[in-house]
Amino acid sequence: MTDATPAEPTAGQIRDLSRGRDMIVCEDVSKWYGDFQALDKVSATIKEQEVVVVLGPSGSGKSTWIRCINRLEIHQEGRIVVDDVELTNDLRNIEKVRSEVGMVFQQFNLFPHLNILDNVSLAPIWVRKKPRAEAESQAMALLERVGIPEQAQKYPGQLSGGQQQRVAIARALAMEPRIMLFDEPTSALDPEMIKEVLDVIKTLALSGMTMMVVTHEMGFAKEVADRLIFMEGGQIVEENTTELFFSNPTEDRTKLFLSQIL
Amino acid sequence: MGGFGIGSRNSAVVPSANVPIAAPPEVLKLPPREWVKANLFSSPFNSVLTLLTTVVLLAIFRGFLAFVFDPVRQWDSTATNLQLFMTRAYPDDQYIRIWFCVAVILILTGVSMAVWRAGSTMPVAAIGHKLLGTGALLVLLALLAPFSASATIQWLVAALAVAATGEVLRRSPGKGEDERTVSTLTVLVIALAGLVASLWVVPYGHHTYIANRVPRVLAEPGTVALTTKLPWTVMLLIVVTAYFAGRLMRDRLPANPIRATLMVLWLLAPPVLVYLVLRDPDFDIGHVVGTDLPIFLAYATGGAALLSWLTRPSTGEAGRIIAVLILLVGFCTFLTPMRMVVRIDMLMLAVFALAAPTFAGGPRARKRYAVGWLGVLGVASWLITSINTPSTVEVPGGFFIGGLSITLMVAVFTILFSFPLGIGLALARTSSMPIFRHLSTGFIEIVRGVPLITILIFFSIMVPLFLPTGMHLDEVTAVIIGYVLFSSAYLAENVRGGLQSVTRGQHEAADAVGMTTAQKTVFIVLPQALRVSIPPLVGHCIGVFKETSLLAIIGVFDLLYIARIVIPGQTEFMGSARENLLFVSVIYWIFAYQLSKASQRLERRTGLGER
């Protein structure tokens, strides 16, 4: 690690990750769509406050994996344990995990019939059972943080893609999650808007949130990630710290991927 | 997450102020002659088409006028029998109840129009434009209709007067900012006042209904009876007064409580008014105090306490188990003989208990849930009581009322009850629980596969035989239940179309923030699904309204039956079916068209926020 010192310290170097407990544990997770195997014995552990970026070509199972972690997809073999709760068919466990895990989607998926404020405050009011006034002031504070408090009374259709994605992040944060999952948060955005969303995610990472990010933004990955996971064909090909991954990848497939992308 | 602050607020900057913004090009408005040339005579083929269509349209219009103004037509049969059309043979000495119902509906309408700020302003020039068009149409009518020379001249003079008024109004007011405008509501009130005033001078004719004489309906030409024109004048005053009272309330009181109160009143109005039309003043109070009230009170106190406990966030899993137990008890009540009210109330309590965890929350939310239960229980108990007591108004014939009143009544109740049922069926059919899915699918497929007439006959004749002892079911009620079941099956399919249009991403987003299935359905899926299905749902409502004409088959005197059979059977008006059918078509069309307009407004309003 001595020979590859990055210009800026990563989030992981600011924090001490060695004592963190395991937030997400995956053991031999497999999943099939019909005959097609989407995930093949995926095993990984993500510690508290760690930021992990998942890379890989299209169709490599990154999104499927991240969606298994809050059970939007159901894994067929193996174990997934999130914050000491194992994901099974038990509805109570699923509800518990989902209220601890925030998720941001590629397509934003804001609720088009509700205004921005209601989009953010709906779940705290009904799932966390917060009083409306408290939930709304918290929602306004979150919108302030993601930089769009003036849009609170508008509807999602009236906002740009980047603004919508920032609202989606605020909506996930409103549940006060301990883990955030990002499923290609910038893939549906114009290049100009990518930066404003990545800035928000970056600040979130520096604040100590445990995060898993699926992305194609290499610069972002280099800057924010503590660890990188490279997937192909439903398998984890390489798993390494950010510096080693870019400076000294061990697998040939990773080298090929990096040479094509950088 | 202490040091969390974003510096990207300026990243989506709008173009700076010194860049000139190009105005959109103005849309040219062609003068009439050029418009005609550009749109109707742009090519030889177009010109031929225009001429041919004009000739055909004129021929059709002339044929229609020849029918309407044929001296053989007995239009006085329609005019004289208006009361028959509206309420059939409702006894004259009880007629004050009908007027009271009309007054209540008008007061609610007036207040609601003020509170929801209905109506808009329209420029005087636009009214002039419309009058000019009407004048032109009247000129055409005068020239085409088979009138005598003197009549043609009279019509022409009247038509030209209308057109001239229109032209004056069209030219007089200024343009742009100081354009004179008038409220659409004022125009509406002036038009209605004209209609009411005409009752006092135009000889429309009226009829009296005498039970012990043949023929029983005696029509008398002449101006409308005082029992009709005086009430209508009062009604006009009432609606105008209600509107101004509503404006006062709107300006003085907070908006949301008024609107909520009005909504509740609108929902309560139909059953209350029907009750009023049906019931005799000396009603069996002893039964109410002895049986109905104690049952209601027991469920009210017990249920409210239980629900208040179930909606505590800390209750958790035990609450769900108890809710399922209540549902089981509800089913078990059907195994032993007991009052129907007890069973129905138990099932309603089970539904509320099952939904309780979804609406759990702080003290205010819990209180609101308990109050909601009390409200639903109260309305349901009262409805059951009123259905169980037979009508005591002495009306000749099998039914207490007929004509437009029963058409509207059946339509309103069918729509009111089939909406929740249809939505429930649609949700059940798309549910992941196999029992609900199969039950709902089976119900929908069976009901859709059976003709409506079969269902109506089944419900009017068979169902009263199956009822447990001690329960009466009015025939109209039975028929409305049949209509509701039939309509909800179709409605469920329309709603299901809407449910399928909600994208998978919306479901996932709701799941990802930890919503339960019930919360997801109520807050995310249904609002979007219903918005998409507004056009088919309104189409369905129009269909329901028109299908009420099948009531004639089971012997109810609905609007169509009176026009087709009753009036042409009167000795004075033998064979006047065609005139009355035309009149009835116009009535159906007016209501259906209003529904259609309302749907367009609703679509525009809910389209907010969608781009």
Side-chain angles (χ1 to χ4, degrees):
Chain A
M1 281 237 278
T2 46
D3 50 0
T5 316
E8 282 178 62
T10 64
Q13 285 165 318
I14 297 170
R15 302 184 299 267
D16 179 17
L17 289 177
S18 55
R19 280 179 295 134
R21 50 197 201 90
D22 295 347
M23 288 299 275
I24 304 173
V25 178
C26 297
E27 287 172 10
D28 295 334
V29 175
S30 297
K31 175 169 178 62
W32 287 261
Y33 290 115
D35 287 339
F36 173 73
Q37 185 163 17
L39 291 178
D40 184 6
K41 292 197 189 317
V42 173
S43 297
T45 303
I46 290 154
K47 288 190 180 302
E48 196 169 10
Q49 299 208 328
E50 196 177 16
V51 178
V52 173
V53 169
V54 184
L55 296 172
S58 297
S60 59
K62 325 181 283 293
S63 286
T64 310
W65 182 31
I66 204 172
R67 288 155 61 84
C68 280
I69 289 171
N70 66 352
R71 210 161 175 90
L72 292 180
E73 304 282 354
I74 296 167
H75 61 281
Q76 287 143 331
E77 279 177 12
R79 267 160 52 96
I80 298 179
V81 182
V82 180
D83 202 9
D84 297 334
V85 180
E86 181 172 358
L87 279 171
T88 55
N89 279 327
D90 191 334
L91 269 177
R92 283 170 300 177
N93 284 358
I94 297 175
E95 277 171 23
K96 197 166 174 201
V97 166
R98 281 179 178 164
S99 60
E100 295 297 328
V101 179
M103 177 125 187
V104 175
F105 299 88
Q106 181 179 355
Q107 297 296 341
F108 329 137
N109 291 342
L110 295 181
F111 306 129
H113 60 296
L114 299 175
N115 69 20
I116 299 304
L117 190 65
D118 289 339
N119 258 284
V120 179
S121 60
L122 185 72
I125 291 173
W126 291 103
V127 181
R128 286 265 187 254
K129 313 289 183 200
K130 278 192 185 177
R132 178 173 288 271
E134 189 189 318
E136 283 185 352
S137 68
Q138 179 213 20
M140 276 314 291
L142 281 170
L143 288 177
E144 193 96 36
R145 279 183 184 177
V146 298
I148 39 175
E150 70 280 0
Q151 313 282 7
Q153 297 305 324
K154 287 193 183 167
Y155 285 83
Q158 296 166 301
L159 265 54
S160 74
Q163 290 171 328
Q164 288 193 45
Q165 192 61 297
R166 286 189 276 163
V167 173
I169 294 172
R171 179 177 69 182
L173 290 177
M175 288 294 290
E176 292 165 355
R178 310 185 56 169
I179 302 168
M180 285 285 284
L181 305 176
F182 292 87
D183 185 7
E184 307 204 20
T186 56
S187 298
L189 295 176
D190 294 344
E192 279 181 65
M193 293 170 182
I194 289 179
K195 188 179 170 298
E196 67 187 56
V197 172
L198 289 186
D199 282 345
V200 173
I201 302 177
K202 225 178 280 177
T203 334
L204 193 59
L206 290 172
S207 75
M209 176 72 78
T210 312
M211 287 176 23
M212 229 176 124
V213 186
V214 172
T215 186
H216 295 295
E217 299 290 326
M218 287 303 146
F220 169 76
K222 221 177 216 173
E223 207 176 325
V224 170
D226 299 315
R227 211 141 50 89
L228 285 160
I229 294 177
F230 180 71
M231 289 184 79
E232 182 172 48
Q235 288 174 318
I236 294 183
V237 176
E238 176 158 2
E239 186 180 347
N240 220 331
T241 58
T242 312
E243 305 85 72
L244 287 176
F245 185 88
F246 283 106
S247 62
N248 193 12
T250 49
E251 303 290 326
D252 289 343
R253 181 64 186 90
T254 319
K255 286 176 190 160
L256 180 67
F257 178 75
L258 286 175
S259 71
Q260 279 168 348
I261 236 170
L262 292 178
Chain B
M1 298 204 297
F4 192 97
I6 305 296
S8 63
R9 194 185 297 188
N10 297 325
S11 52
V13 194
V14 276
S16 58
N18 48 18
V19 177
I21 296 166
E26 264 185 54
V27 181
L28 283 178
K29 207 172 172 227
L30 293 173
R33 188 190 293 175
E34 285 178 38
W35 184 89
V36 167
K37 203 178 162 194
N39 288 288
L40 299 178
F41 296 97
S42 54
S43 68
F45 175 70
N46 242 351
S47 311
V48 172
L49 212 60
T50 304
L51 288 176
L52 262 180
T53 322
T54 315
V55 168
V56 169
L57 282 179
L58 285 180
I60 292 174
F61 191 47
R62 194 188 147 76
F64 176 72
L65 289 176
F67 172 82
V68 170
F69 289 104
D70 192 328
V72 184
R73 293 280 89 79
Q74 309 175 35
W75 287 110
D76 52 338
S77 72
T78 306
T80 309
N81 284 303
L82 272 179
Q83 190 180 341
L84 196 65
F85 271 125
M86 295 303 138
T87 55
R88 200 181 148 251
Y90 200 79
D92 275 341
D93 56 331
Q94 300 285 333
Y95 223 76
I96 186 76
R97 300 187 191 200
I98 304 269
W99 287 118
F100 184 81
C101 293
V102 177
V104 170
I105 291 173
L106 287 180
I107 289 173
L108 277 177
T109 312
V111 175
S112 304
M113 283 176 105
V115 170
W116 271 279
R117 297 172 193 275
S120 54
T121 55
M122 69 197 281
V124 177
I127 298 176
H129 218 131
K130 283 199 174 145
L131 276 181
L132 191 63
T134 315
L137 200 68
L138 284 176
V139 169
L140 196 66
L141 185 147
L143 292 176
L144 283 177
F147 289 148
S148 65
S150 64
T152 309
I153 291 171
Q154 279 171 18
W155 275 86
L156 267 180
V157 169
L160 287 175
V162 171
T165 322
E167 183 62 15
V168 170
L169 284 178
R170 204 166 70 91
R171 280 168 188 266
S172 66
K175 287 267 177 210
E177 288 292 308
D178 49 39
E179 191 174 38
R180 272 198 292 154
T181 57
V182 59
S183 152
T184 46
L185 291 182
T186 316
V187 177
L188 187 69
V189 168
I190 291 174
L192 288 179
L195 270 180
V196 169
S198 77
L199 288 178
W200 292 83
V201 284
V202 180
Y204 288 117
H206 63 90
H207 85 94
T208 47
Y209 193 100
I210 298 162
N212 52 8
R213 191 190 62 188
V214 178
R216 288 195 289 202
V217 180
L218 176 68
E220 295 167 10
T223 51
V224 178
L226 203 61
T227 51
T228 303
K229 56 193 176 191
L230 191 63
W232 277 120
T233 315
V234 176
M235 292 302 144
L236 183 70
L237 293 177
I238 283 179
V239 72
V240 173
T241 320
Y243 177 76
F244 282 105
R247 276 180 63 145
L248 273 183
M249 277 194 253
R250 179 186 79 195
D251 297 337
R252 300 271 162 85
L253 301 171
N256 281 340
I258 303 187
R259 290 184 180 191
T261 316
L262 278 174
M263 295 281 239
V264 172
L265 286 178
W266 270 115
L267 279 180
L268 286 183
V272 176
L273 295 183
V274 167
Y275 187 73
L276 204 83
V277 171
L278 270 171
R279 297 297 148 220
D280 197 47
D282 30 289
F283 172 67
D284 187 5
I285 291 294
H287 176 79
V288 174
V289 175
T291 338
D292 292 347
L293 264 184
I295 293 177
F296 169 77
L297 285 178
Y299 271 102
T301 47
L306 180 75
L307 290 174
S308 171
W309 177 72
L310 284 177
T311 44
R312 252 188 1 200
S314 55
T315 303
E317 206 56 23
R320 294 186 192 191
I321 294 169
I322 290 196
V324 172
L325 282 180
I326 296 173
L327 186 65
L328 275 181
V329 172
F331 284 132
C332 290
T333 53
F334 283 85
L335 300 177
T336 49
M338 64 171 71
R339 290 199 167 273
M340 200 66 188
V341 193
V342 181
R343 297 167 173 164
I344 295 175
D345 286 355
M346 192 54 107
L347 286 182
M348 286 198 319
L349 183 64
V351 170
F352 265 76
L354 284 171
T358 298
F359 299 99
R364 267 191 73 193
R366 288 166 58 197
K367 200 170 139 198
R368 242 182 294 163
Y369 198 66
V371 169
W373 158 250
L374 291 184
V376 170
L377 182 73
V379 172
S381 308
W382 177 78
L383 260 180
I384 294 167
T385 307
S386 57
I387 288 175
N388 264 331
T389 45
S391 165
T392 42
V393 175
E394 283 296 324
V395 176
F399 290 94
F400 54 90
I401 207 167
L404 182 64
S405 304
I406 199 139
T407 298
L408 282 179
M409 209 171 88
V410 173
V412 166
F413 277 97
T414 304
I415 291 169
L416 211 61
F417 288 114
S418 63
F419 255 82
L421 190 59
I423 290 172
L425 281 172
L427 288 175
R429 195 169 181 178
T430 52
S431 143
S432 56
M433 282 178 273
I435 297 179
F436 286 131
R437 200 170 55 230
H438 291 308
L439 277 179
S440 157
T441 310
F443 174 83
I444 291 174
E445 293 305 335
I446 288 172
V447 171
R448 279 206 309 179
V450 177
L452 176 55
I453 296 175
T454 319
I455 293 180
L456 291 185
I457 292 175
F458 176 81
F459 271 88
S460 67
I461 297 166
M462 307 273 287
V463 166
L465 300 180
F466 292 148
L467 286 176
T469 46
M471 176 144 182
H472 311 277
L473 200 57
D474 193 85
E475 197 168 352
V476 175
T477 316
V479 167
I480 289 179
I481 293 174
Y483 264 113
V484 167
L485 293 184
F486 186 79
S487 151
S488 61
Y490 277 88
L491 207 136
E493 289 300 281
N494 288 339
V495 174
R496 193 165 68 98
L499 288 176
Q500 280 167 349
S501 77
V502 177
T503 58
R504 191 164 159 223
Q506 291 291 317
H507 287 268
E508 287 179 351
D511 284 338
V513 287
M515 287 190 192
T516 62
T517 310
Q519 289 168 339
K520 183 171 74 174
T521 308
V522 173
F523 299 121
I524 307 300
V525 178
L526 267 186
Q528 295 184 52
L530 289 181
R531 204 196 78 83
V532 173
S533 28
I534 288 173
L537 286 181
V538 172
H540 179 79
C541 290
I542 293 175
V544 166
F545 179 70
K546 292 188 296 186
E547 274 164 12
T548 52
S549 51
L550 285 177
L551 283 172
I553 287 173
I554 55 154
V556 178
F557 288 77
D558 82 314
L559 199 55
L560 185 67
Y561 190 74
I562 290 174
R564 203 169 58 92
I565 306 287
V566 178
I567 296 177
Q570 297 169 353
T571 35
E572 303 92 322
F573 303 123
M574 282 295 192
S576 61
R578 279 178 292 179
E579 294 87 334
N580 290 304
L581 284 178
L582 188 64
F583 174 71
V584 166
S585 323
V586 172
I587 293 188
Y588 276 115
W589 176 80
I590 289 173
F591 278 94
Y593 184 65
Q594 288 310 317
L595 272 175
S596 165
K597 294 281 271 189
S599 122
Q600 285 167 15
R601 276 197 296 274
L602 198 64
E603 274 172 62
R604 267 203 304 278
R605 191 170 298 175
T606 53
L608 189 76
E610 283 264 309
R611 228 183 1 194

